[in-house]
Amino acid sequence: MDAIVEATATGAFLPGDRIVEAEVARALNVSRVPVREALRILESQGIVINARYRGMRLMDVTVERLEKILKVRTALETLATREVLEAIRRDSATIKPLEQVVAELHQAADRGDSYGVARLDTEFHRTLCRLSGNDVLLHMWEPLSRQLTIIFGLSTLQKDLGLIVKEHDELLEKIKAGNVGDLIEAVQVHILDYSRALDYEGLIELRRRNRKRKAG
């Protein structure tokens, strides 16, 4: 399952690609049984879409779909930041797991590990939601996690890794500063503005053309 997500996040598979169980198993060098189970789970999470007459395909990353995901993320993570600040006021050590994720982000970027950065980007936001102490919020956010890893992975293909890390450094500093208004504004810029500045559809189309050219 994670291998399929990683392959999509790194551009080996592309959003919108038709998924054939046997071909995925061959590409990942595994048997068809775990692939079948992984696809079932990924379908429940919206990563794989089983459309009538079109077969099974990876989710599309279109402007419209991205906007829907961004709006849901913004609502959930805005609430999470408010509750995390309250938790930090009660116990300053609450922030330590976020500091650890950011430290690992720096290490991944330093070694040029694009997928590692994408995975840790997701982990930063998962940790933010978890530290809110709101299990309902985390339960609502978690189904988005693999979709986010794919989106974050695609962003690393067109964005400097150091810049991605810097954005999380800035978020961490805003959390430490403890100003609710400033932090919420920073979260919204991070989720909405930075994501909207990237051309996901253009990147996918370019890689699809390049793949066809190499295939012959």
Side-chain angles (χ1 to χ4, degrees), residues 124-192:
F124 178 93
H125 294 279
R126 173 186 286 111
T127 302
L128 183 70
C129 293
R130 179 173 59 80
L131 293 179
S132 73
N134 188 329
D135 60 333
V136 175
L137 188 158
L138 181 61
H139 183 73
M140 294 177 69
W141 183 93
E142 192 61 47
L144 293 174
S145 62
R146 288 192 171 91
Q147 294 187 49
L148 294 178
T149 299
I150 290 171
I151 292 168
F152 295 155
L154 293 173
S155 74
T156 68
L157 301 177
Q158 55 183 323
K159 188 173 183 178
D160 181 79
L161 298 183
L163 186 58
I164 294 172
V165 175
K166 181 181 177 182
E167 291 170 11
H168 291 83
D169 283 336
E170 292 171 351
L171 275 180
L172 185 61
E173 289 305 312
K174 292 289 186 182
I175 293 170
K176 290 179 177 178
N179 184 293
V180 176
D182 287 350
L183 177 56
I184 289 175
E185 182 180 359
V187 167
Q188 291 175 346
V189 168
H190 178 75
I191 294 175
L192 298 174

Side-chain angles (χ1 to χ4, degrees), residues 4 29 42 102 120 122 150 153 160 173 198:
I4 295 172
N29 196 28
L42 292 175
V102 170
L120 288 162
T122 304
I150 290 171
D160 181 79
E173 289 305 312
L198 299 175

Side-chain angles (χ1 to χ4, degrees), residues 35-92:
V35 170
R36 187 178 305 125
E37 177 63 16
L39 291 176
R40 185 187 65 77
I41 295 171
L42 292 175
E43 182 180 1
S44 72
Q45 296 176 344
I47 305 295
V48 171
I49 310 297
N50 200 352
R52 191 176 183 183
Y53 304 124
R54 295 186 65 204
M56 189 168 281
R57 295 179 181 274
L58 284 170
M59 70 178 203
D60 287 318
V61 179
T62 61
V63 171
E64 181 182 8
R65 183 179 181 84
L66 185 60
E67 278 295 308
K68 291 177 180 178
I69 293 172
L70 294 179
K71 288 176 181 177
V72 172
R73 277 193 66 200
T74 301
L76 291 174
E77 294 186 32
T78 296
L79 175 58
T81 55
R82 290 180 181 276
E83 299 193 355
V84 165
L85 285 186
E86 292 178 7
I88 290 172
R89 291 190 187 104
R90 295 191 297 269
D91 180 4
S92 60

Side-chain angles (χ1 to χ4, degrees), residues 95-108:
I95 201 171
K96 290 188 180 297
L98 280 173
E99 292 176 327
Q100 179 60 38
V101 175
V102 170
E104 292 175 12
L105 263 172
H106 277 271
Q107 294 167 7

